Amino acid sequence: MAGNKNSGRQEFKPTDEEREKVRVLKAGGMSNEAIAEAIGISEPTLRKHFALELDRATAKVRGEL
């Protein structure tokens, strides 16, 4: 049944620990693909749920250069 919220995989909910890990890995220069693999999620899921962390880490690295 399309639209049935009780079926299929549960929505991913990032933890504070995962958010910090993403910030550290991205600031360290890791690619989104490698970060997603380290967290155990797909790259689209990474971009969807960690966009703020990815942007902040990238901005921090650029600011330090």
Side-chain angles (χ1 to χ4, degrees), residues 2 11-14 17 26 28 33 41 44 52 56 60-62:
E11 184 177 353
F12 176 77
K13 294 181 183 176
E17 208 171 85
K26 188 63 176 182
E33 184 178 323
I41 58 175
L52 185 61
R56 284 185 178 170
K60 182 180 179 184
V61 169
R62 286 184 183 154

Side-chain angles (χ1 to χ4, degrees), residues 21-44 46-47 50 54 57-58 61:
K21 186 173 185 178
V22 168
R23 279 192 292 268
V24 169
L25 294 176
K26 188 63 176 182
M30 253 178 131
S31 70
N32 287 0
E33 184 178 323
I35 294 170
E37 189 174 319
I39 300 290
I41 58 175
S42 69
E43 192 174 350
L46 175 75
R47 289 192 310 265
F50 296 95
L54 294 170
T58 301
V61 169

